[in-house]
Amino acid sequence: MVNKLKAFQKQIPALLILFAVLLNITGRVWQGFTDFYVDHIFPLWVETYGRFTGLFPFSVGEWMLYLAVVLVFLLIIGGVVYAAFGKRLPGTLKTFYRKYVFFVYWVFGIVCVIMTLNCFLLYQARTVNVRFEIGGRADKGYGSGEIAALRDYVVENANALASVFERDEDGYLIYEEDLEQKAREEMKRLGERFDNLQGYYPSPKKLFLSGFYSQQYIMGYYFPFSMEANYNGQMYITNMPVTMCHELSHLKGFMLEDEANFIGYLACVDSEDPLFRYSAYLSVIGYLDRDFVKAIGEDEEIYLSHPQICDQVAEDKKFLTTEAWEQVEKKAVLKTETVRQAADTFLETTLTLNGVADGTISYSRVVKLLLQYYDGKLY
């Protein structure tokens, strides 16, 4: 009996991996299964496990990620030593390494299941325009007129807000309220309009190694294995409100980046807080301006006949301040270009494997969602 139990225990990691694979396949071929899971099961993890990790003042997921790196590093080093000196190693060390390999095997099986439940399955859910019924039609073609109207609306609102903020001697915006709490409040307020966004929201957490994430040009991160929304604490403040709301939207099952961009925009754009509104407009102004230029065939005369993005808005759209970049580069272990290329490759691969065929370009699809949302309001 004991031997059978031990044999079964050895099979558990493989069973976990198989279970994760079957869940992924089921999610891809059966839309009803995925939708039921996202609507009724996934929220339970946020309300339980998410509440638990939310008790910690630091990002649990970030430190779990660093622990994983250490575990893999030790696995590789141990493997090299075992392969090179295996015959001369004491039996206790050999036994210890074999047990360590099995431990990592267990961890990998658990991670496969958690990533599937808290991330991969969510990519297969109904799109946001179906879950929200945001207006317009997904199959409706929008031309240069609609794009121009939306782009001009965002530009005019951003330009008007740029001058209302208190600034320091360097021209940087000053804000002294609790951004994290405000982001939670805005998401809860949006949940009053859309049922899928109701429920508990943990506080967004600042990434401990924000400088490293700055090298990757990452503004925020959702850690599926800890159910946490994280943000880059070194980026310029205008990016923070919409980034926090973007990451919190992942906790409600909206995994596609264009949809999270859209929800982040909606949460901020109707806020009573001018910084949140400003953050919303700045988050999409670049996408809209680029699409507008394409729509008019890069005709400079037509472009100049529309409202122009003022210098202050262009300045406030920065990722990091000059001083912040200097701090990042000063403390950097690896070159920023190397880190960014590796991060871009990883993100592109992850999105593609989860069915997002256009990879990181998908972020800009928020324009189509905004065109639908403002259909009947601006045009």
Side-chain angles (χ1 to χ4, degrees), residues 105-134:
Y105 185 32
W106 256 91
V107 172
F108 179 71
I110 293 171
V111 168
C112 286
V113 173
I114 291 177
M115 288 296 293
T116 297
L117 293 175
N118 295 348
C119 182
F120 300 150
L121 275 180
L122 310 183
Y123 279 102
Q124 314 307 322
R126 291 170 298 168
T127 56
V128 68
N129 55 298
V130 175
R131 295 171 72 182
F132 277 3
E133 298 182 0
I134 61 176

Side-chain angles (χ1 to χ4, degrees), residues 42-97:
F42 179 71
L44 298 177
W45 311 146
V46 183
E47 295 286 346
T48 53
Y49 184 47
R51 283 183 182 272
F52 172 71
T53 57
L55 296 174
F56 295 86
F58 56 88
S59 173
V60 176
E62 183 181 9
W63 288 102
M64 290 172 72
L65 181 63
Y66 303 150
L67 176 61
V69 172
V70 172
L71 290 176
V72 173
F73 176 76
L74 293 176
L75 179 69
I76 294 173
I77 295 299
V80 171
V81 172
Y82 191 91
F85 308 103
K87 293 182 179 180
R88 286 176 282 176
L89 290 175
T92 53
L93 284 179
K94 293 180 181 178
T95 301
F96 175 80
Y97 182 70

Side-chain angles (χ1 to χ4, degrees), residues 302-321:
I302 295 177
Y303 183 81
L304 292 176
S305 69
H306 286 261
Q308 300 300 294
I309 299 172
C310 74
D311 292 341
Q312 186 62 69
V313 168
E315 180 67 17
D316 285 338
K317 190 168 166 40
K318 64 170 68 72
F319 174 42
L320 265 65
T321 65

Side-chain angles (χ1 to χ4, degrees), residues 219-378:
M219 294 184 177
Y221 218 103
Y222 159 65
F223 287 113
F225 32 86
S226 63
M227 305 299 293
E228 292 172 304
N230 301 264
Y231 68 95
N232 184 334
Q234 287 194 310
M235 64 184 174
Y236 190 48
I237 193 170
T238 54
N239 300 298
M240 291 186 180
V242 77
T243 297
M244 291 180 186
C245 293
H246 170 116
E247 300 305 328
L248 286 172
S249 74
H250 289 319
L251 291 169
K252 296 303 175 184
F254 294 92
M255 193 54 54
L256 294 175
E257 295 300 337
D258 57 316
E259 298 187 351
N261 281 348
F262 176 65
I263 294 171
Y265 174 89
L266 291 187
C268 294
V269 76
D270 292 328
S271 172
E272 295 181 359
D273 190 314
L275 176 60
F276 275 70
R277 297 199 302 276
Y278 194 42
S279 182
Y281 294 129
L282 292 185
S283 72
V284 299
I285 199 169
Y287 297 133
L288 287 167
D289 201 51
R290 284 194 291 272
D291 279 16
F292 174 60
V293 170
K294 291 179 183 178
I296 61 175
E298 300 185 6
D299 190 310
E300 185 177 3
E301 184 177 351
I302 295 177
Y303 183 81
L304 292 176
S305 69
H306 286 261
Q308 300 300 294
I309 299 172
C310 74
D311 292 341
Q312 186 62 69
V313 168
E315 180 67 17
D316 285 338
K317 190 168 166 40
K318 64 170 68 72
F319 174 42
L320 265 65
T321 65
T322 302
E323 294 80 2
W325 268 123
E326 290 175 352
Q327 289 296 315
V328 169
E329 296 297 345
K330 183 179 180 180
K331 298 178 180 180
V333 176
L334 301 172
K335 291 183 178 180
T336 295
E337 186 61 30
T338 301
V339 174
R340 185 176 188 182
Q341 287 179 355
D344 287 348
T345 301
F346 174 77
L347 180 58
E348 192 80 30
T349 302
T350 299
L351 291 172
T352 303
L353 288 175
N354 282 287
V356 184
D358 51 355
T360 53
I361 296 175
S362 64
Y363 283 72
S364 65
R365 290 206 303 259
V366 67
V367 172
K368 182 63 179 293
L369 294 171
L370 290 171
L371 285 167
Q372 288 180 244
Y373 179 74
Y374 282 105
D375 195 344
K377 299 181 179 72
L378 298 179

Side-chain angles (χ1 to χ4, degrees), residues 32-47 122 126 131 196 252-253:
F33 168 77
T34 309
D35 290 341
F36 178 84
Y37 173 79
V38 172
D39 290 340
H40 302 287
I41 306 300
F42 179 71
L44 298 177
W45 311 146
V46 183
E47 295 286 346
L122 310 183
R126 291 170 298 168
R131 295 171 72 182
N196 302 97
K252 296 303 175 184

